[in-house]
Amino acid sequence: MKKKNSFFTKTVLLFGMAAVLLVLSTVGSTRAALIYNDGNAYRIQIAASYIGVGLIENEDVVSYRSYDRNNQAVEEKKDLLSGVAAQIDKEGFKPGNPYQEALSVTNAGEIDSYVRVIVYKSWKDGTGDSNTVLSPELIKLDGEDGMNGWVKDENASGSGADGDYRERLVLYYTKPIANGGETPLFNKTLTIDPDVMKVFSQKRDGNKITTSYAYDGYSFNLEVEVDAVQTHNAVDAIKSAWGVDVTIAPDGTLSLVR
């Protein structure tokens, strides 16, 4: 019996690395400072304070966006999963093996902010097109249920109450992040479920049987979107920017209204 065994080699060759998308839900807030001027007059100086966010992967900032004093975007974007790809190149692809994929968020702006991440998992063919039939659930992240103060939006993730979002995971960090601060990890490892090897078909030609795997030739893909909302008037700002209802405790802890 001859089996088609190109699943492993093609997966390595077509291994997907997704550019990170950083989206700022709001530009920032403005503060006004009264400055004394000669002539016993006062003038008002307006200084803008900006929101900025960055994504950290395995202790390296892979993407960030902020703004300079001229309101011009300052940003950099790199590919995700380069460390995973290097490990696979060295050791070979192993379904069920946990690959290091430590992810967190940094505040790259000037004001305290609440942050949210949206993670998209998908399978893509050799031309880069997504396959919506293959299961994104087989791309496993160990932070999918929330960890280290991150909370999962159940209604907007997976097969949530408001619809089927199999490719999407939405997490909120429950504490405000100060300028230059960093959240705890919202994910540590990525694993491809060994069940990818259980989806196959067989074709008989005389005494010859060929086994074809459904995931053969596809790459797994990870994209992370990060955005932030200022802490000032946070309940209304988050409702406006993210469309979710939250409560904010006196200590600043954010809770989703279920």
Side-chain angles (χ1 to χ4, degrees):
M1 180 174 65
K2 183 179 178 181
K3 290 189 177 183
K4 183 179 178 184
N5 59 7
S6 59
F7 176 85
F8 298 101
T9 56
K10 286 190 178 180
T11 301
V12 174
L13 291 175
L14 299 178
F15 191 86
M17 295 183 291
V20 181
L21 306 175
L22 295 180
V23 178
L24 301 182
S25 297
T26 180
V27 172
S29 62
T30 301
R31 63 173 184 269
L34 284 174
I35 299 179
Y36 182 77
N37 196 11
D38 291 338
N40 296 320
Y42 288 93
R43 61 186 174 88
I44 294 186
Q45 180 186 63
I46 303 297
S49 297
Y50 298 107
I51 283 180
V53 287
L55 179 66
I56 299 176
E57 179 189 40
N58 298 329
E59 300 184 351
D60 291 326
V61 178
V62 290
S63 289
Y64 69 89
R65 173 181 281 180
S66 188
Y67 292 87
D68 62 21
R69 287 296 174 179
N70 296 317
N71 200 29
Q72 298 298 310
V74 179
E75 61 183 352
E76 181 178 357
K77 297 179 182 180
K78 300 178 183 178
D79 287 337
L80 280 173
L81 303 178
S82 58
V84 177
Q87 188 175 348
I88 288 178
D89 286 341
K90 180 179 179 181
E91 304 174 359
F93 177 61
K94 302 175 183 178
N97 182 67
Y99 297 101
Q100 181 180 350
E101 185 61 14
L103 299 170
S104 60
V105 175
T106 183
N107 184 343
E110 296 183 341
I111 58 176
D112 294 358
S113 303
Y114 289 100
V115 297
R116 174 184 73 169
V117 297
I118 305 176
V119 182
Y120 298 93
K121 304 181 297 179
S122 62
W123 295 93
K124 294 189 176 182
D125 62 20
T127 64
D129 293 330
S130 294
N131 185 306
T132 58
V133 176
L134 300 180
S135 174
E137 287 95 334
L138 296 181
I139 306 169
K140 300 287 189 180
L141 300 174
D142 63 352
E144 291 185 26
D145 292 326
M147 61 168 55
N148 299 327
W150 289 86
V151 60
K152 176 182 177 180
D153 186 343
E154 299 286 353
N155 290 332
S157 304
S159 299
D162 293 339
D164 186 4
Y165 305 110
R166 295 195 308 153
E167 295 189 351
R168 189 171 73 183
L169 168 66
V170 182
L171 298 169
Y172 295 85
Y173 187 57
T174 54
K175 297 288 186 180
I177 307 302
N179 171 30
E182 179 183 345
T183 70
L185 296 178
F186 64 86
N187 191 75
K188 296 180 181 179
T189 63
L190 179 150
T191 305
I192 303 303
D193 195 305
D195 282 352
V196 294
M197 302 301 297
K198 296 180 180 181
V199 186
F200 61 87
S201 61
Q202 291 183 323
K203 181 179 179 180
R204 180 184 293 273
D205 183 8
N207 294 325
K208 178 183 176 182
I209 297 178
T210 301
T211 300
S212 299
Y213 294 97
Y215 291 82
D216 190 14
Y218 285 91
S219 62
F220 56 91
N221 192 68
L222 191 70
E223 298 179 36
V224 179
E225 180 179 303
V226 183
D227 54 6
V229 170
Q230 76 274 5
T231 56
H232 176 68
N233 196 25
V235 172
D236 291 336
I238 288 171
K239 178 65 173 180
S240 175
W242 293 338
V244 297
D245 294 309
V246 302
T247 59
I248 305 294
D251 66 353
T253 300
L254 177 150
S255 298
L256 294 176
V257 177
R258 304 295 185 181

